Amino acid sequence: MRLLLACLALVPFLLSFTYALHATEELKVRTTLSRFAIFVDDDDFDHLDQIFTPDVFADYAGATNDGLPAFATFLKRGLGGIVSQHAVSSIVIEDLGRSLNSTAYVTAAFLGPGNNTTMSLGTSVTLYGKYLDTWTRVGDAWRIKRRIFKQF
């Protein structure tokens, strides 16, 4: 009976347990977030599978996309050919065991129209917001399964 009571006393502790993300795993996530910014700025939309899962759901300020092909097309149509610089900062990562959540601020500067017909030559726009991402493990890497972009 004492053993049972001792085990029951541990239940609140076990339920409040949080996982600690190893530094190398955190570095993988931070590098992947930075790699996304560089891919977009370099108009490299063919390697987004290094960032996202094939079934990614993305919501960019209300514009939703299901699946990587649709999301890549959305990004290419909106950002392709535009001179841009994305800066990702203030990254917070929460380890949930089999998945991760992250929040990261993004500042993106855009110059000129590129493939986007809503911008005119000489136009510059700076966008501020945050990425709210849910990550899943794929092999030894982390990939974004869900991205919500909230504009400030």
Side-chain angles (χ1 to χ4, degrees), residues 3 12 15 26 31 43 73-74 76 82 86 103 113 118 121 132:
L3 180 60
L15 292 176
E26 182 174 338
T31 299
D43 280 349
T73 299
F74 168 79
K76 189 173 187 176
I82 295 177
H86 286 70
T103 300
T118 62
L121 194 58
L132 304 170

Side-chain angles (χ1 to χ4, degrees), residues 1-15:
M1 185 63 154
R2 286 185 184 174
L3 180 60
L4 176 63
L5 290 174
C7 290
L8 289 174
L10 289 175
V11 169
F13 170 76
L14 294 174
L15 292 176

Side-chain angles (χ1 to χ4, degrees), residues 36 52 55-68 70-72 74-75 104 106 127 129-134 144-152:
F36 170 74
F52 300 98
D55 62 343
V56 66
F57 171 81
D59 179 341
Y60 266 57
T64 60
N65 295 274
D66 283 308
L68 186 53
F71 184 44
F74 168 79
L75 290 173
V106 60
L127 185 78
K130 63 182 171 181
Y131 296 137
L132 304 170
D133 295 326
T134 301
I144 298 170
K145 185 170 182 63
R146 180 179 176 88
R147 165 161 285 179
I148 308 297
F149 169 72
K150 294 198 176 210
Q151 190 173 344
F152 294 144

Side-chain angles (χ1 to χ4, degrees), residues 6-74:
C7 290
L8 289 174
L10 289 175
V11 169
F13 170 76
L14 294 174
L15 292 176
S16 67
F17 181 79
T18 57
Y19 296 90
L21 189 61
H22 192 276
T24 57
E25 297 302 301
E26 182 174 338
L27 183 59
K28 288 178 185 180
V29 170
R30 290 175 178 273
T31 299
T32 302
L33 284 167
S34 295
R35 187 170 285 137
F36 170 74
I38 292 168
F39 283 170
V40 170
D41 292 341
D42 287 346
D43 280 349
D44 184 355
F45 302 102
D46 295 330
H47 292 97
L48 294 176
D49 60 338
Q50 295 178 27
I51 312 298
F52 300 98
T53 62
D55 62 343
V56 66
F57 171 81
D59 179 341
Y60 266 57
T64 60
N65 295 274
D66 283 308
L68 186 53
F71 184 44
T73 299
F74 168 79

